[in-house]
C-alpha cells in the first residue's frame, strides 16, 4: 500500500495486492453531515457499486483506515460491519476484508425509463389537482374551508390524549369498519342533523368521502356496468368509477337537480349531490327526489347520496336527504369531515344498508386495513362531546355573511356579466356566463390579478357544457371579499368573454 495523500479530513488510499496488481484508489472524505461511520460506509459502498474497487480485492484493514483517518477503530468497524451485513464485502479471519464477487443487489444508477406502462384507463383520467399549490391573495376556490378557524387547541388536546400508551388499545389492527365510538357518534350526529336513520353498525369510517366512493364502487359495480353521474359534476367521483372499469354516463342537471327523466336504462348505480349539487349549487326538488327513488326501485339501481357540505345552510328549510325518504334500502349516504373540519384530515364515512356491510368491511380491510385509530378516537370525542355541533354553529355565522356578500355581488354589480344560480347552502356559489362566454379565459385573467376561482366547464363531461364561474367562500377572509370581487368585475368588464 502506498499513500496516503492527505487532505483535510480525507484520504486517498492507493494499494495493490498480488491477486490484483493494478493500483486501485479509494477516496474517503469525512467532511459533511452524518456520523463518520455512515460517511465511510456510503463512500466505500459507492466505490464498490461503481466498480472502482473490484470483486476479490482486499480493502485496507480497519486498523490501517482508523490510523490514517485519525478516527477510532470502532468507527471503521461499524462501517465494515454494515458492508458485511449487506453482502458488499466478506471477511476471512486473519486474511482481511474482501469485496464480494456476488452480483450486487443495489445500483446507484437510477433507470431513466422502464418498459412498464400503466393500464390504458390511467391515460384517460385527469391529472390530480394539488390544491395546496395555489397561493392567491383572493382565494375564491370551492372546496376549501377556513383553516384559520379550525379548533386547533381542542384537536391538539384530543389527539394528545390518544397518543398516550394504552389509549388506543392494543397495537393490533382494529375492525376495518372503524372505531366503535366514532361509528356511534356519527350515527347519532347524522340522525339529529340530517334525519338519517342509522345505527353504528351501518356506519363505515373512511379516508375522506373519496374512499367511501371507492369502496362502494368495489362492492357494487362490475367492470363494464353503467354508472350515472351528474353533468356537470364532481370529477374525482367520476374518476373512481372509470378507474374501476365502469361505463360512466353523464345525466344533465337543471334548476331542480338531476333530470331524472334523462336517466338511461341499464344503470347499476347513480351518484348524486341532492342537498347542494356540485358544482351548480341547486337543491334537488322533492318531486325529483321521489322520482329518483321510484326509478331506482323500478330498475334495481343503487343510489349514492353525497351530502358533502349540507351542514351549512343560510336560510330556507333543510331538505330531507334521499336517505330519509328511502324505505327500500337502496340509498348509500356518504358524508365528509372535509368541509366542517379540514380536507387534510381525510375523514369521511358511508352509511350503508345491512346486506352490504360484510363486503364493505372486506373492501376497506383490503384497501388499508382501517383509518388511523388515534384520529378516529379523537374525532369520536369531538363529535360526542358536542364540539362538532358547536364548531358548525360558529362557522355558519362566519360563512353566512360571505355567502350573502357574494350573492349580493352576483345579483347586483356583476349581474350584467353573470347569471347567479340561486343557492342557500354549502361553501360556494355558481354563476353562468352569457352564451359564447369563455370561463377558462376569465379565470386566467383573474389569476393574473391574484384572484383564484374555478371555471364551471372544468366540471362538465366533454366540451359544450355550461360556462360559468364557481366562487367559493371557505378560504377567503371576509374582509377581502369586496376587493376580490372588484378585481373579478374588472376581469369580466375588461376583456373578451368569448
Ligand atoms: C362533491 C364533493 N364530494 C365530496 C367532497 C369531499 O371529499 P373528501 O371527503 O374526500 O375530502 C367534495 C370536496 O370538495 C365535493 O366537492
Amino acid at each position: 500500500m502506498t499513500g496516503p495523500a492527505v487532505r483535510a479530513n480525507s484520504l486517498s488510499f492507493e494499494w495493490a495486492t498480488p491477486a490484483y496488481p493494478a493500483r486501485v484508489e479509494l477516496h474517503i472524505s469525512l467532511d459533511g453531515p452524518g456520523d463518520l461511520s455512515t460517511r465511510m460506509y456510503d463512500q466505500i459502498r459507492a466505490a464498490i457499486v461503481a466498480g472502482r474497487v473490484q470483486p476479490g480485492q482486499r480493502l485496507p484493514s480497519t486498523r490501517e483506515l482508523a490510523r490514517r483517518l485519525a478516527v477510532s477503530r470502532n468507527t471503521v468497524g461499524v462501517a465494515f460491519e454494515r458492508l458485511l451485513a449487506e453482502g458488499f464485502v466478506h471477511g476471512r479471519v486473519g486474511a482481511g476484508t474482501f469485496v464480494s464477487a456476488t452480483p450486487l443487489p443495489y445500483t446507484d444508477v437510477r433507470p431513466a425509463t422502464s418498459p412498464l406502462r400503466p393500464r390504458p384507463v390511467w391515460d384517460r383520467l385527469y391529472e390530480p389537482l394539488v390544491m395546496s399549490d395555489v397561493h392567491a391573495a383572493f382565494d375564491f376556490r370551492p372546496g376549501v374551508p377556513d383553516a384559520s378557524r379550525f379548533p386547533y387547541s381542542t384537536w391538539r388536546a384530543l389527539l394528545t390524549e390518544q397518543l398516550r400508551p394504552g389509549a388506543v388499545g392494543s397495537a393490533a389492527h382494529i375492525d376495518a369498519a372503524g372505531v366503535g365510538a366514532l361509528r356511534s357518534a356519527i350515527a347519532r350526529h347524522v340522525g339529529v342533523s340530517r334525519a338519517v336513520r342509522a345505527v353504528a353498525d351501518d356506519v363505515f369510517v373512511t379516508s375522506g368521502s373519496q374512499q367511501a366512493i371507492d369502496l362502494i364502487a368495489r362492492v357494487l359495480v362490475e367492470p363494464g356496468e353503467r354508472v350515472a353521474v351528474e353533468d356537470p359534476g364532481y370529477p374525482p367521483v367520476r374518476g373512481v368509477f372509470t378507474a374501476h372499469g365502469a361505463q360512466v354516463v353523464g345525466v344533465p342537471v337543471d334548476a331542480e337537480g338531476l333530470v331524472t327523466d334523462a336517466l338511461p336504462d341499464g344503470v347499476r348505480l347513480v351518484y348524486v349531490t341532492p342537498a347542494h349539487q356540485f358544482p351548480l349549487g341547486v337543491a334537488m326538488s322533492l318531486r325529483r327526489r321521489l322520482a329518483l327513488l321510484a326509478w331506482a326501485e323500478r330498475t334495481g339501481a343503487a343510489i349514492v347520496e353525497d351530502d358533502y357540505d349540507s351542514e351549512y345552510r343560510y336560510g330556507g328549510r333543510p331538505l330531507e336527504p334521499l336517505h330519509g325518504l328511502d324505505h327500500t334500502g337502496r340509498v348509500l349516504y356518504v358524508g365528509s369531515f372535509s368541509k366542517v373540519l379540514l380536507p387534510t384530515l381525510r375523514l369521511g364515512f358511508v352509511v350503508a344498508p345491512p346486506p352490504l356491510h360484510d363486503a364493505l368491511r372486506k373492501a376497506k380491510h383490503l384497501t388499508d386495513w382501517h383509518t388511523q385509530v388515534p384520529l378516529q378516537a379523537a374525532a369520536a370525542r369531538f363529535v360526542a362531546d358536542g364540539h362538532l355541533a358547536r364548531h358548525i354553529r360558529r362557522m355558519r355565522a362566519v360563512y353566512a355573511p360571505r355567502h350573502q356578500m357574494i350573492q349580493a355581488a352576483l345579483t347586483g354589480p356583476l349581474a350584467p356579466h353573470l347569471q347567479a344560480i340561486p343557492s342557500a347552502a354549502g361553501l360556494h356559489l355558481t354563476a353562468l356566463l352569457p352564451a359564447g362566454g369563455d370561463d377558462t379565459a376569465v379565470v386566467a385573467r383573474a389569476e393574473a390579478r391574484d384572484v383564484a376561482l374555478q371555471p364551471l366547464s372544468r366540471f362538465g363531461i366533454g366540451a359544450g357544457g355550461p360556462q360559468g364561474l364557481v366562487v367559493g367562500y371557505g378560504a377567503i377572509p371576509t374582509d377581502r371579499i369586496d376587493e376580490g370581487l372588484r378585481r373579478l368585475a374588472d376581469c369580466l368588464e375588461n376583456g373578451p368573454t368569448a
Side-chain angles (χ1 to χ4, degrees):
M1 191 178 291
T2 62
V6 182
R7 286 182 228 152
N9 243 354
S10 75
L11 283 179
S12 286
F13 290 89
E14 277 186 47
W15 78 101
T17 59
Y20 287 88
R23 290 197 179 280
V24 275
E25 186 177 307
L26 176 62
H27 179 78
I28 298 177
S29 162
L30 299 182
D31 289 331
D35 64 278
L36 294 180
S37 295
T38 302
R39 293 196 53 71
M40 213 174 274
Y41 159 84
D42 282 344
Q43 292 172 72
I44 298 174
R45 194 192 83 138
I48 296 171
V49 167
R52 292 196 298 277
V53 197
Q54 293 291 312
Q57 272 182 339
R58 188 169 65 80
L59 292 182
S61 70
T62 53
R63 184 194 303 271
E64 182 77 8
L65 277 170
R67 190 174 62 76
R68 298 205 176 188
L69 287 163
V71 296
S72 79
R73 222 175 139 189
N74 189 41
T75 300
V76 184
V78 169
F80 270 47
E81 267 161 35
R82 254 181 98 179
L83 291 164
L84 273 165
E86 293 177 4
F88 288 106
V89 299
H90 57 277
R92 285 205 300 275
V93 181
T97 305
F98 297 84
V99 175
S100 290
T102 48
L104 294 168
Y106 306 101
T107 168
D108 278 356
V109 182
R110 174 183 169 270
T113 185
S114 158
L116 305 180
R117 294 289 178 273
R119 285 166 48 218
V121 68
W122 294 102
D123 291 334
R124 301 209 308 273
L125 291 166
Y126 67 96
E127 282 295 317
L129 281 184
V130 182
M131 300 289 278
S132 59
D133 279 358
V134 175
H135 302 282
F138 304 92
D139 188 352
F140 288 106
R141 285 174 306 152
V144 190
D146 190 338
S148 72
R149 315 270 176 155
F150 180 75
Y152 289 99
S153 58
T154 306
W155 266 88
R156 204 160 37 240
L158 292 174
L159 271 173
T160 305
E161 227 168 81
Q162 298 308 321
L163 294 172
R164 291 210 177 99
V168 291
S170 77
H173 294 298
I174 65 155
D175 176 3
V179 165
L182 180 58
R183 298 173 74 197
S184 307
I186 290 172
R188 272 195 305 276
H189 172 68
V190 293
V192 171
S193 65
R194 299 294 289 136
V196 170
R197 295 149 303 150
V199 294
D201 280 353
D202 301 326
V203 178
F204 289 74
V205 180
T206 56
S207 175
S209 60
Q210 186 67 19
Q211 191 186 45
I213 304 290
D214 184 69
L215 300 181
I216 292 167
R218 285 165 194 263
V219 163
L220 282 176
V221 183
E222 294 286 1
E225 280 189 320
R226 255 186 193 178
V227 168
V229 296
E230 298 162 328
D231 183 13
Y234 185 54
V237 163
R238 294 202 292 267
V240 167
F241 290 117
T242 303
H244 281 293
Q247 192 194 332
V248 177
V249 188
V251 179
V253 180
D254 66 14
E256 286 190 67
L258 185 92
V259 179
T260 42
D261 285 345
L263 279 161
D265 294 333
V267 167
R268 173 74 185 115
L269 180 152
V270 58
Y271 163 87
V272 278
T273 49
H276 187 230
Q277 202 274 334
F278 190 88
L280 297 180
V282 296
M284 195 173 189
S285 68
L286 182 61
R287 192 167 68 99
R288 288 272 176 85
R289 288 167 197 238
L290 295 174
L292 183 61
L293 288 166
W295 168 86
E297 198 170 344
R298 203 169 55 248
T299 63
I303 299 173
V304 176
E305 173 174 36
D306 182 356
D307 207 23
Y308 65 104
D309 71 356
S310 64
E311 291 85 354
Y312 298 122
R313 279 205 78 76
Y314 317 106
R317 209 167 55 81
L319 289 158
E320 207 176 343
L322 281 167
H323 191 275
L325 298 168
D326 169 34
H327 302 292
T328 62
R330 288 173 194 286
V331 176
L332 291 97
Y333 177 89
V334 172
S336 172
F337 287 92
S338 290
K339 301 293 183 294
V340 290
L341 290 173
L342 286 179
T344 46
L345 287 181
R346 307 309 306 134
L347 203 54
F349 59 91
V350 50
V351 174
L356 302 183
H357 290 181
D358 279 354
L360 280 170
R361 180 175 272 106
K362 288 176 191 167
K364 173 68 178 165
H365 166 76
L366 291 182
T367 305
D368 63 356
W369 285 87
H370 54 70
T371 296
Q372 291 180 48
V373 173
L375 175 70
Q376 290 197 55
R381 286 282 311 280
F382 191 82
V383 180
D385 293 357
H387 296 296
L388 179 65
R390 253 194 311 281
H391 180 62
I392 290 172
R393 266 201 307 281
R394 213 176 292 136
M395 292 313 293
R396 203 177 280 142
V398 170
Y399 293 137
R402 297 184 188 175
H403 171 92
Q404 213 213 322
M405 284 167 87
I406 294 171
Q407 180 138 290
L410 291 175
T411 51
L414 297 178
H417 312 286
L418 291 168
Q419 183 199 339
I421 298 175
S423 175
L427 290 182
H428 73 267
L429 281 154
T430 297
L432 301 172
L433 283 169
D438 178 351
D439 56 10
T440 32
V442 175
V443 167
R445 282 204 296 279
E447 192 185 324
R449 305 218 43 200
D450 222 0
V451 176
L453 73 171
Q454 290 277 4
L456 177 59
S457 59
R458 231 205 110 234
F459 303 102
I461 300 177
Q467 299 273 320
L469 301 177
V470 185
V471 187
Y473 43 86
I476 188 152
T478 311
D479 60 7
R480 290 203 174 186
I481 289 179
D482 277 339
E483 172 61 17
L485 290 173
R486 243 191 313 277
R487 290 179 183 217
L488 181 59
D490 284 349
C491 299
L492 288 160
E493 277 157 20
N494 307 320
T497 52

